[in-house]
Amino acid sequence: MHGDFFFTFGRWILPILAFYITVGCGVSLIRGNKKTGTIGYLVNSANGDQIPLVGYETAIGRSRACDIVLNYTTVSRFHAVLTKRGGRWLVFDTHSKTGTFVNGERVDSVSLHPLEVKSGDTLVFGNAIFAFYDLDDLTEPKTPREEVTENPALFETGEEFHTGEIILPEHLKTGCSLKNLLSGDEINIDSAASILIGRSPDADVQISNPAVSYSHALMSRSEEGWIIEDLDSDAGTLLNGEELKECTPLKDGDIIEICGFTIRFTQKEGG
């Protein structure tokens, strides 16, 4: 009698429990890998390539199913996971053959116990070596200038734009500038009437990335100050992590992001 009861109970309740567990895991996975705009970078020490981190869970490996695909023979198909939890960055080794290392310390792949990662740390997957940067910490360049390879978002310190040059009276010179958050390069834009951002050689800020449109976004000066608009680009433009859908005024500290290349707009008080 008791056996029939437990059999009937299990027959109905177990599928329901399985359903809720599956849904819960799915929701957790979706939330964990929410696309947020760039929140960090991995910089390849071999060639200077900058790989933006755009989710709270980033799978790294040789498989095309991974978020970051590393075509190295020493990298396992599913090698590691880099995650941001509670404001901390952690790296897990997912039973890779050659190991994952943080500043020379191996990540435990048996217990799946992670190691914490901080800006400037060195991450090694197989024989692929990367520097890690948290975007929140990129207020100043983290490596000596000579160690940073040419950034596809071309800034030269001290350079001023002269495209559509205008002459401003002293009281309107606000000290507006753009700063490449990864390289630290900064340019003053007070002398410009507009700034074209894109892949075109004629762009004022040229980004040499095939995902970037030739004429991707345009900054222009209005009576109220600087404004920005996306020029119907294929990949879109993010302003403070949100997709730019219309012409929008720029404020001091705004973050402009185009295909992982991140620029801060600065305007001194009084401008």
Side-chain angles (χ1 to χ4, degrees):
M1 193 72 177
H2 289 291
D4 291 340
F5 170 78
F6 284 114
F7 176 79
T8 303
F9 178 79
R11 181 181 177 184
W12 289 102
I13 199 64
L14 290 179
I16 294 173
L17 287 174
F19 172 77
Y20 278 107
I21 291 172
T22 302
V23 170
C25 289
V27 170
S28 176
L29 181 61
I30 291 171
R31 287 178 177 173
N33 202 31
K34 179 183 178 182
K35 295 297 183 287
T36 59
T38 299
I39 56 177
Y41 286 94
L42 289 179
V43 180
N44 193 324
S45 64
N47 54 22
D49 283 350
Q50 301 160 13
I51 305 174
L53 302 169
V54 295
Y56 288 116
E57 299 278 352
T58 302
I60 301 168
R62 205 172 69 252
S63 170
R64 292 189 178 183
C66 291
D67 300 302
I68 295 178
V69 180
L70 302 179
N71 291 315
Y72 295 79
T73 56
T74 56
V75 173
S76 298
R77 286 177 54 78
F78 297 96
H79 197 104
V81 172
L82 187 59
T83 179
K84 189 172 187 179
R85 298 179 180 176
R88 299 169 61 224
W89 284 92
L90 304 169
V91 64
F92 293 82
D93 183 276
T94 49
H95 303 294
S96 68
K97 292 182 179 179
T98 53
T100 301
F101 298 82
V102 179
N103 298 328
E105 182 179 356
R106 185 163 188 162
V107 181
D108 187 350
S109 63
V110 177
S111 64
L112 288 179
H113 183 73
L115 288 181
E116 185 172 0
V117 186
K118 298 181 179 180
S119 280
D121 283 353
T122 299
L123 286 172
V124 180
F125 312 100
N127 66 349
I129 304 173
F130 293 86
F132 166 79
Y133 297 101
D134 185 336
L135 186 61
D136 290 340
D137 296 333
L138 289 176
T139 54
E140 298 294 337
K142 297 298 182 181
T143 53
R145 184 67 187 150
E146 60 271 15
E147 293 183 11
V148 178
T149 58
E150 184 179 17
N151 194 303
L154 299 179
F155 287 179
E156 292 293 338
T157 304
E159 178 187 358
E160 292 190 359
F161 286 113
H162 298 287
T163 299
E165 182 176 1
I166 57 177
I167 299 176
L168 293 175
E170 288 299 323
H171 72 280
L172 289 181
K173 291 186 177 181
T174 59
C176 291
S177 63
L178 298 176
K179 184 172 185 178
N180 183 324
L181 288 186
L182 192 59
S183 70
D185 286 340
E186 189 168 7
I187 50 175
N188 181 278
I189 59 174
D190 271 340
S191 62
S194 63
I195 296 171
L196 176 64
I197 305 173
R199 199 170 82 249
S200 169
D202 297 325
D204 301 302
V205 175
Q206 184 184 7
I207 305 177
S208 302
N209 184 313
V212 176
S213 299
Y214 260 61
S215 297
H216 198 106
L218 180 68
M219 292 177 55
S220 54
R221 191 189 296 273
S222 70
E223 293 181 359
E224 292 77 21
W226 283 95
I227 57 177
I228 187 170
E229 59 183 314
D230 183 86
L231 300 177
D232 294 323
S233 65
D234 293 332
T237 302
L238 297 181
L239 181 63
N240 300 322
E242 300 290 336
E243 184 179 359
L244 191 62
K245 296 182 178 180
E246 59 185 12
C247 192
T248 304
L250 284 167
K251 305 184 299 296
D252 180 51
D254 278 350
I255 301 297
I256 303 163
E257 182 186 332
I258 295 176
C259 300
F261 297 94
T262 311
I263 304 165
R264 175 188 289 153
F265 172 81
T266 299
Q267 178 173 304
K268 292 181 180 178
E269 292 184 5

